[in-house]
């Protein structure tokens, strides 16, 4: 990565136990990284591109990570964040396929939302809880690529703003502005409704 995307980010406590780091001196240990993170990266790719492309993207993510392991800087990003950045860059090569898939899911449903005003984070909760279907999928398909990447890294991968900045190699402030625009556009596309209403009803 270049630049200093975390310079403006507030400090954040580490999440959970330590995870394996790519080994520069013992490539055989890179299998630990694969075992720890493959399922999660595969799931992320599958939710964005569908199952057919997910295995290729996930496999290529770890191949790229192995090739670039000498450039990994643990001071800048956790391994998990680094891998999500590689995966998202690879997904960028499938933009047209992703948009086509989202538009196809927009015709499937359910993905509609109930009434009421909602908080911005409700958009993320909706994506995470119900996936990319119905009107929500159509709204996300219409987002510019950069805004879609930020929204889905937050909603699907549960990355913080500073982690997204590190993954995408963009300034911390850019993440916030892209995420704000993405959430606003999705809410407007859904008629200003509350994306959490159906989720709350389902668990009510």
């Amino acid at each position: 990565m270049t630049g200093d995307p975390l310079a403006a980010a507030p400090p954040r406590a580490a999440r959970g136990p330590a995870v394996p780091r790519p080994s520069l001196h013992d490539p055989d240990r890179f299998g630990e990284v694969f075992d720890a993170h493959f399922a999660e990266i595969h799931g992320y790719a599958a939710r964005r591109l569908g199952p057919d492309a997910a295995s290729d993207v996930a496999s290529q993510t770890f191949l790229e990570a192995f090739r670039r392991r000498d450039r990994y800087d643990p001071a800048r990003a956790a391994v998990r964040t680094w891998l999500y950045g590689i995966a998202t860059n690879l997904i960028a090569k499938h933009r047209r396929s992703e948009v086509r898939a989202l538009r196809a899911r927009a015709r499937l449903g359910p993905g509609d939302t109930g009434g009421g005003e909602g908080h911005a984070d409700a958009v993320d909760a909706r994506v995470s809880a119900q996936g990319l279907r119905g009107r929500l999928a159509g709204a996300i398909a219409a987002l510019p690529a950069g805004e879609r990447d930020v929204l889905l890294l937050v909603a699907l991968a549960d990355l913080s703003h500073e982690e997204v900045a590190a993954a995408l190699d963009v300034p911390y402030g850019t993440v916030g502005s892209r995420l704000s625009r993405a959430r606003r556009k999705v809410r407007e596309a859904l008629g200003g409704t509350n994306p959490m209403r159906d989720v709350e009803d389902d668990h009510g």
Side-chain angles (χ1 to χ4, degrees), residues 14-106:
R15 214 193 313 205
V19 295
R21 292 178 175 176
S23 173
L24 305 186
H25 306 293
D26 184 6
D28 291 340
R29 289 191 57 201
F30 197 83
E32 298 172 7
V33 177
F34 181 93
D35 291 342
H37 299 289
F38 182 83
E40 184 177 3
I41 296 298
H42 183 277
Y44 171 69
R47 295 182 76 178
R48 292 197 60 166
L49 298 175
D52 292 342
S55 294
D56 287 342
V57 168
S59 297
Q60 188 66 25
T61 295
F62 286 89
L63 178 60
E64 285 297 307
F66 183 79
R67 289 172 174 169
R68 294 159 49 184
R69 67 192 186 280
D70 61 330
R71 285 182 268 171
Y72 169 66
D73 181 0
R76 298 178 63 80
V79 172
R80 175 176 180 268
T81 302
W82 183 59
L83 292 170
Y84 269 112
I86 296 172
T88 300
N89 287 335
L90 291 170
I91 287 170
K93 299 178 181 180
H94 299 262
R95 293 291 187 207
R96 292 181 181 178
S97 297
E98 181 179 33
V99 171
R100 282 197 300 268
L102 285 167
R103 289 174 176 165
R105 294 177 203 172

Side-chain angles (χ1 to χ4, degrees), residues 117-127 136 151 154-155 161 176 179-187 190 193-196:
E117 295 299 324
H119 187 274
D121 288 343
V123 172
D124 309 341
R126 178 71 180 205
V127 173
L136 180 61
L151 176 64
V154 170
H161 288 206
L179 184 59
S180 178
R181 289 195 299 269
R183 287 166 168 168
R184 173 178 53 78
K185 290 174 183 178
V186 170
R187 289 198 309 274
L190 298 177
T193 58
N194 179 0
M196 279 300 291

